[in-house]
Amino acid sequence: MSRILRVNMTDRTVQYEEVPEKYRFLGGRGLTSSIVYDEVDPTCHPLGPNNKLVFAPGIITGTNAPTSGRVSVGGKSPLTGGIKESNAGSGWPQSVAKLGIKAIIVEGYPKDGGWWGLHITKDGATFFPADEYAGRSLYEVYPLLFERFGKKVDICSIGVAGEMKMAMAGVCFNDAHGRPSRYSGRGGLGAVMGSKGLKFIIVDPEGGPGVQIANPDLFERGRKKMLEALRQHDITKPKGGLNTYGTAILVNILNEAGGYPTRNFREGRFEGAAATSGEAIFETNKRRLGKELYNHACHPGCVIQCSNTYYDEQGNEIVSCIEYESTWALGANCGIDNLDAIGKLIWLCNDIGLDTIETGGTLAVAMDAGLLPFGDWQGAIRLLDEEIRKGTPLGRILGNGAAFTGMAFGWHRVPGVKGQNMPAYEPRAIKGIGVTYATSTMGADHTAGYTIAPEILSVGGKADPRDVKKADLSRNFQITTAFIDSSGHCLFIAFAILDIPSGFEGLVEECAGVLGADWTADDAARIGKEIMEKELAFNRAAGFTKAHDRVPEFMKYEPLPPHNVVWDVPDEELDAVWW
Ligand code: SF4
């Protein structure tokens, strides 16, 4: 029987609660968004006593379903002011699920100062003082924690950015090798964790009851279908696109399409794309290590295995991993074409506790506003290491994200929606993803409804990227994504299940098998829609209107090279998504 663990940071008490019937068939994003909707006042200050931080493994997380070690972290976002679900892959949610915990709700507000860690085992949850770890490098602290609590624990933490409650602070989880490198990065939830005085949640799964599977036959049938689909599809199969080149395989593809935002969204093509692509990572590693290096899993049981490790000339690790979004944010978007420097910048983000997308977007806005020249990677490293890490006045401006930085520098070219900077797809060149950015409950977020699949990759059908009629496409993707984010599967399974129908059946059967639900494919859409409705209701109560579902004005009048396109999706098309 799984339970909910409620953690009160006002009096530092914990309580295990039975799972209410209304949450029985929920997990991951469906559960975090439902709890936030039910328990958090939408008008509360995100860093005040009335916000809550909710962690939920997906429905099938902790089972042997492939590629299913995902966690949803939810709360009211200090970056957007709306509801937030930020998703990461790690062994951490698998350990939580194996202890029979369906969600962890962190609430209250510390009465006194100091930092605390929470240690969860099969015997319960206890606090420990964590002041000795505060203000330090996460790469330095994680080995100390593994030494203290045992090699088999999993760690959730914030870095110094979260301690300083910066709006681009992420929540960090260890990868399969113990690195502090897997992030629920978007939306500043690390700052919410910091506001609660909570530095770590350390989970030891030893002796836990494991995940109960209500209908093992159905689950197994679904698991096999999913596994087969992932092993077949060219993008997800072993030594396929993601396993060989990682997510950065997208760099050359988006660059070719003229949709690769460059120098703070001034151009759609970057002259340094090839040098900072997934292919470049693979070939550079091969040259430096003298052998081909395929990617690894960010958590036990991922069969796609898209996480790379990047090495220097001496064969020493620079960072793991360089994602598409990160090589873009800290590369093309800042005009930086030096892969070693990009690796170092990603390492710094991991070490300080920052979302790489918002960090790159912030540096790009600052560069555009004149703080640094585009391409100045030494200056970018200095801003992260000397200003943000140390919390100088400039560091605190930058640490609060691109919109805050744009305001501080009086700069109007801030490519964000609802306060969150856009990721690595240009909405002027690819309209559907722009519709998702504009209308997502999360602010500008590609993962909320990845229309790039049909618009650019010809996955799940084909859609003309310049066609402005994208309300239906974006809405359908957003609804389906809300279900996948609840399942516990990594979103990258979508490549396979969009093209292989039995893979989608497998997804539904795995979830129904664990829960003992009587679900069909139609239920996936129903559940996704219900999740979206709660998130939309929260945001409307928080003050969001149609006027917030818009891309920045400069995109309407600045043509984007090389295709010289502007944002021309009518407002009525945007309003047709949810209003
Ligand atoms: S596909 Fe990549 S990001 Fe997704 S779970 Fe596997 S290793 Fe992690």
Side-chain angles (χ1 to χ4, degrees):
M1 176 66 116
S2 60
R3 297 176 295 173
I4 288 176
L5 173 60
R6 194 175 289 274
V7 180
N8 187 323
M9 294 305 295
T10 306
D11 54 11
R12 282 197 300 281
T13 55
V14 297
Q15 186 179 319
Y16 286 91
E17 300 172 357
E18 274 186 30
V19 177
E21 182 60 24
K22 64 180 174 179
Y23 297 155
R24 197 176 128 208
F25 291 113
L26 297 174
R29 176 174 168 183
L31 188 52
T32 60
S33 288
S34 295
I35 293 172
V36 172
Y37 172 80
D38 287 340
E39 297 195 11
V40 175
D41 177 353
T43 63
C44 76
H45 194 292
L47 302 180
N50 294 319
N51 198 6
K52 301 191 183 192
L53 191 65
V54 186
F55 299 83
I59 293 167
I60 57 169
T61 301
T63 70
N64 64 345
T67 311
S68 63
R70 304 295 298 195
V71 61
S72 291
V73 187
K76 178 170 175 173
S77 163
L79 193 71
T80 69
I83 199 164
K84 177 58 65 178
E85 184 266 356
S86 191
N87 196 289
S90 166
W92 189 88
Q94 295 174 310
S95 291
V96 171
K98 285 174 186 169
L99 287 177
I101 297 172
K102 199 168 167 79
I104 301 171
I105 304 172
V106 182
E107 59 190 20
Y109 197 78
K111 281 188 284 206
D112 39 30
W115 293 102
W116 294 89
L118 188 68
H119 183 212
I120 308 175
T121 70
K122 68 176 177 18
D123 299 320
T126 49
F127 286 97
F128 64 94
D131 297 297
E132 66 189 282
Y133 305 107
R136 293 167 72 176
S137 143
L138 283 182
Y139 280 98
E140 178 194 348
V141 161
Y142 268 48
L144 300 176
L145 294 171
F146 283 117
E147 201 175 311
R148 175 171 170 183
F149 292 97
K151 295 274 179 259
K152 290 190 176 156
V153 301
D154 286 291
I155 302 169
C156 161
S157 69
I158 53 168
V160 293
E163 292 172 25
M164 289 186 275
K165 304 173 196 65
M166 291 173 170
M168 63 185 196
V171 177
C172 178
F173 301 91
N174 58 278
D175 74 358
H177 297 90
R179 302 178 186 94
S181 61
R182 307 306 307 189
Y183 269 82
S184 282
R186 305 240 67 193
L189 294 177
V192 179
M193 193 160 158
S195 74
K196 306 289 182 202
L198 188 61
K199 177 79 179 153
F200 307 111
I201 304 176
I202 295 174
V203 183
D204 185 344
E206 190 71 24
V211 177
Q212 283 183 353
I213 299 178
N215 184 340
D217 291 342
L218 182 61
F219 169 76
E220 188 56 19
R221 193 162 74 222
R223 190 186 75 82
K224 283 186 176 149
K225 285 181 186 171
M226 175 62 74
L227 193 57
E228 191 54 32
L230 295 177
R231 283 188 173 148
Q232 263 179 38
H233 198 278
D234 283 344
I235 296 181
T236 56
K237 69 186 183 187
K239 296 200 176 178
L242 286 170
N243 184 229
T244 307
Y245 299 123
T247 51
I249 190 176
L250 289 167
V251 172
N252 287 322
I253 297 169
L254 268 296
N255 198 53
E256 185 60 29
Y260 194 54
T262 298
R263 286 177 276 271
N264 197 33
F265 290 72
R266 285 186 172 274
E267 299 139 82
R269 222 170 247 167
F270 181 44
E271 66 285 354
T276 53
S277 64
E279 290 86 336
I281 295 167
F282 185 82
E283 292 303 328
T284 306
N285 273 338
K286 190 167 144 188
R287 183 168 50 75
R288 289 177 173 176
L289 300 175
K291 62 177 183 188
E292 288 186 343
L293 188 64
Y294 290 88
N295 296 332
H296 61 269
C298 70
H299 67 264
C302 174
V303 298
I304 301 175
Q305 304 195 355
C306 79
S307 298
N308 56 38
T309 307
Y310 183 62
Y311 292 88
D312 68 12
E313 292 286 0
Q314 287 71 44
N316 299 313
E317 179 176 320
I318 294 178
V319 75
S320 178
C321 77
I322 302 183
E323 300 275 12
Y324 168 68
E325 290 295 334
S326 306
T327 190
W328 162 78
L330 297 155
N333 200 33
C334 295
I336 294 172
D337 62 2
N338 179 325
L339 202 47
D340 288 6
I342 292 168
K344 175 69 178 167
L345 285 162
I346 295 168
W347 187 92
L348 282 168
C349 287
N350 291 345
D351 198 46
I352 296 167
L354 296 166
D355 172 24
T356 54
I357 299 177
E358 194 66 33
T359 302
T362 299
L363 292 174
V365 167
M367 287 172 167
D368 210 8
L371 185 65
L372 287 180
F374 281 115
D376 181 0
W377 57 265
Q378 294 97 333
I381 287 174
R382 185 175 46 73
L383 289 179
L384 262 60
D385 216 15
E386 300 292 324
E387 305 287 351
I388 297 178
R389 187 196 289 281
K390 293 180 180 164
T392 64
L394 174 59
R396 285 177 185 267
I397 289 171
L398 298 170
N400 277 298
F404 194 90
T405 298
M407 200 175 288
F409 284 88
W411 196 239
H412 63 288
R413 297 188 76 265
V414 179
V417 178
K418 302 185 181 84
Q420 181 164 285
N421 212 67
M422 289 180 181
Y425 307 90
E426 236 299 344
R428 283 168 286 185
I430 313 163
K431 311 295 181 187
I433 201 69
V435 174
T436 294
Y437 289 167
T439 62
S440 154
T441 47
M442 301 292 151
D445 180 350
H446 61 299
T447 67
Y450 193 67
T451 61
I452 296 299
E455 290 186 291
I456 298 294
L457 305 175
S458 300
V459 169
K462 273 184 195 263
D464 176 0
R466 301 283 195 279
D467 181 2
V468 299
K469 300 287 287 178
K470 292 286 171 52
D472 291 345
L473 183 73
S474 175
R475 187 191 315 104
N476 290 338
F477 264 84
Q478 292 191 54
I479 287 170
T480 306
T481 302
F483 181 77
I484 296 175
D485 285 343
S486 304
S487 72
H489 273 305
C490 175
L491 194 54
F492 297 151
I493 64 151
F495 293 116
I497 67 171
L498 281 169
D499 279 342
I500 303 171
S502 60
F504 192 83
E505 282 168 25
L507 164 68
V508 177
E509 288 168 2
E510 287 170 325
C511 293
V514 167
L515 296 170
D518 181 20
W519 286 352
T520 65
D522 288 345
D523 289 297
R526 172 186 58 77
I527 293 161
K529 195 155 175 278
E530 287 168 4
I531 295 165
M532 292 305 308
E533 280 166 0
K534 284 181 188 166
E535 293 175 353
L536 288 161
F538 184 95
N539 280 358
R540 285 170 193 173
F544 286 102
T545 66
K546 287 180 189 178
H548 296 93
D549 284 2
R550 300 290 184 261
V551 304
E553 185 200 12
F554 78 85
M555 292 187 165
K556 293 183 186 169
Y557 59 75
E558 268 190 30
L560 177 81
H563 300 302
N564 296 320
V565 279
V566 294
W567 176 254
D568 54 358
V569 176
D571 289 350
E572 298 73 43
E573 187 70 12
L574 298 175
D575 296 342
V577 178
W578 301 124
W579 296 89

